[in-house]
Structures are given as structure tokens and as C-alpha cells.
Amino acid sequence: MLAANANFGYMLLGYGTIFGLMFLYLLSWRLRQRNLEKDLEMLKTLGDQPPDD
Amino acid sequence: MPKPTPWLKILNVVTTLVMVVATGLVFLYAPRERTMGEVQRIFYFHVPLAWVGFVALFVSLVAGIAYLRTGRRGWDQVELASVEIGLLFAILTVISGSIWARPAWNTWWTWDPRLTTYTILVLIYFAYLMLRQGIEDPDRRARFAAVYSIVGFVSVPITFFSIRIWRTIHPAVVGTGSPTAEGGFDMTPTILTVFLFCNAAIFILYWCLLANRVRLEQLADRVEQLKARHILA
């Protein structure tokens, strides 16, 4: 086992990884939401257009 | 996307505050552990992430059963959201545990029963997401996913009790581990206070993430319905 005063870096790595991955996950939500809202707008626009005769 | 209700806005703010306080307690209030040193602080998030991850997968089990009984789309949305968040927490648990293990056990990984069963759990629920991607029909997808979430939950108690069933080097936080386990675990009042607060914080975080993820899934469902209507028209 590493000496008690030698593992501060691992502690930072651990929390950096936890918060980093959580941030990336929330970022993925934001990207998904943006893409879905774009799709929704497009579908609404297509729905408003009169059908071709 | 449906507008967030006032309660959801309040929940978002409260969750943020609670997480900030929890992080502050971990770094500024919790004492430095005598044997393991600073790396022991990972425990304050590692264990709650594991426990609340199990709760999330239990919620997905309940949602799966509810969907099969009622056929209501809302339960499928809760199930998917809960599996996704539970899987995220499980992955964070495995990674943070590995980082803790390097200085504590002098290895990043060992095929210990707890680590092995946890990895299998992660793979099972990753496969759940793959299964959903592979089925186009929404009703069929929801039915298959519900059955999978019910069967897949078997991995959760196996993982939780693995340190009590098999010989392991993984510490047991609650109660005692296997009689042949090496090492032990005990908490001073200060450590226990921070640990319990972090458990509450991660629990609140889960419910906040769940509520927001379900909203996103409601938007996805709306888009899927409009696409289907447009194709049929």
C-alpha cells in the first residue's frame, strides 16, 4: 500500500473522474435535447405544409 | 420539451446545493484517514454511488413490472431513465473503486467476487440499452425492455451479497463480510456523518436526474410519434 501521504493524486484523479464523467453525461443530455428540438421543429413545419397533389 | 414544473426547478437548485455541500464536507470537514490517507475520501462518493445505483436498478425493476401490468408509456420512460442513471452510477463506482484500489491494494484491478459481479452487472445493463436500440416498434421495444429489466435485476442482489457469500478482499461497509474476508471497516462519528450526508446527497441527485431524464424521454417519444405519423401520411 502506498504511504498515506503519497496518494493525494489518486484522490484528485478519483473525484476528477466522477465529476468529469457526470459532466459529460449531462452534456450528452443537452446535445440530445437540442437535436430532438430541431427534429420537432422540422416535423411541425412538414406537418404544416399542404400535401402535394 | 415539456416546461419544467416549479417543483422540478426547486429540486434542481436543491440538488446542486446539496452536492456542493457534500463535496465541501468531503474535502474540508472529513478527517484524513490514518491508514489509507487522502485516497480514503473516494469512499464518500464511491459507496453512495454503488448503493443508489442499486436503488436506481430496483426502480427500473418496479417500472418494468408496472409497464407490463398497465401498458402505460410513462412507466417505460421511467424504466429507461432509471437504467441509464443506474448504469452511470455503476460505471462511476467501478472506476472510482479502481482508482482507490491502486494505492490501497497496489493494483488497478483484481478478479475479486465483488468487482467481477459488479462488472457483469454493468455489462448486463449496457446490453439493455443495446437491446432498446435494436427494436424499432415502440410497444415491442417497451415490452422486451421491461422483461429484460426484470430478469437483469437478478444481478443486483448477487453483486450486493457477493462479499458475504464468497471470500473477498473488498471491505464490507454494512455488517460483516465473509468470515474469511481480510481487513475490516469502522467509522468514527465524523466520518459517519459525512458518509451519511453524501448518501443523502447522491440519493437526491438520483431523483433529480431521473425527473429530468424522463422529461427528455417524453420529448423523444413526441418526436418518434410525429415521425411515425409523417411516414404513414
Side-chain angles (χ1 to χ4, degrees):
Chain A
M1 186 172 171
L2 268 185
N5 59 358
N7 53 35
F8 183 75
Y10 286 101
M11 190 264 295
L12 285 182
L13 177 64
Y15 276 99
T17 307
I18 289 171
F19 288 121
L21 288 178
M22 201 106 58
F23 174 75
L24 286 175
Y25 178 61
L26 294 177
L27 189 64
S28 79
W29 278 11
R30 186 72 194 100
L31 292 172
R32 280 190 267 181
Q33 181 190 342
R34 207 176 60 179
N35 290 337
L36 285 168
E37 283 171 350
K38 274 186 195 166
D39 288 347
L40 190 63
E41 277 312 305
M42 186 189 65
L43 286 164
K44 280 181 180 174
T45 308
L46 288 171
D48 288 343
Q49 284 177 355
D52 295 331
D53 286 325
Chain B
M1 188 141 141
K3 281 202 181 322
T5 63
W7 285 114
L8 184 55
K9 287 182 187 171
I10 291 170
L11 181 59
N12 290 341
V13 170
V14 167
T15 302
T16 306
L17 288 173
V18 163
M19 287 300 293
V20 167
V21 170
T23 307
L25 286 174
V26 167
F27 287 104
L28 303 172
Y29 179 69
R32 184 166 172 271
E33 205 276 335
R34 194 171 40 213
T35 312
M36 283 188 276
E38 296 294 343
V39 78
Q40 180 271 341
R41 295 182 196 272
I42 287 179
F43 149 88
Y44 294 111
F45 270 44
H46 169 79
V47 176
L49 283 168
W51 286 359
V52 178
F54 290 152
V55 169
L57 299 176
F58 178 73
V59 168
S60 78
L61 164 76
V62 170
I65 293 170
Y67 175 80
L68 290 176
R69 289 191 64 157
T70 65
R72 290 180 62 177
R73 188 77 187 93
W75 286 114
D76 181 54
Q77 292 165 352
V78 169
E79 180 196 300
L80 169 61
S82 209
V83 166
E84 209 177 87
I85 296 162
L87 184 59
L88 168 71
F89 283 11
I91 291 170
L92 291 178
T93 302
V94 171
I95 294 175
S96 62
S98 176
I99 293 170
W100 173 87
R102 179 63 184 93
W105 298 341
N106 203 29
T107 180
W108 292 103
W109 186 260
T110 177
W111 291 106
D112 170 86
R114 168 54 65 83
L115 277 67
T116 305
T117 51
Y118 217 107
T119 303
I120 293 170
L121 179 150
V122 167
L123 292 173
I124 286 171
Y125 281 97
F126 192 69
Y128 168 95
L129 297 178
M130 297 293 104
L131 174 74
R132 290 191 72 104
Q133 290 290 328
I135 303 174
E136 287 221 8
D137 176 59
D139 292 325
R140 205 157 151 258
R141 182 175 61 216
R143 258 196 332 272
F144 274 59
V147 172
Y148 190 100
S149 77
I150 293 167
V151 176
F153 185 77
V154 165
S155 60
V156 173
I158 290 174
T159 302
F160 183 79
F161 289 111
S162 62
I163 60 172
R164 290 160 181 81
I165 300 170
W166 293 295
R167 182 184 167 86
T168 175
I169 59 173
H170 190 285
V173 176
V174 176
T176 55
S178 160
T180 57
E182 295 174 15
F185 205 87
D186 206 358
M187 287 188 264
T188 64
T190 311
I191 290 177
L192 182 63
T193 303
V194 178
F195 175 65
L196 291 175
F197 189 91
C198 288
N199 268 291
I202 298 291
F203 190 65
I204 293 168
L205 175 66
Y206 162 67
W207 290 107
C208 179
L209 290 175
L210 182 70
N212 284 285
R213 181 65 185 87
V214 167
R215 276 183 65 237
L216 184 61
E217 195 55 29
Q218 287 168 348
L219 174 62
D221 269 3
R222 180 122 189 269
V223 169
E224 195 174 31
Q225 281 165 13
L226 282 176
K227 276 184 184 168
R229 207 183 300 167
H230 189 69
I231 289 167
L232 288 171

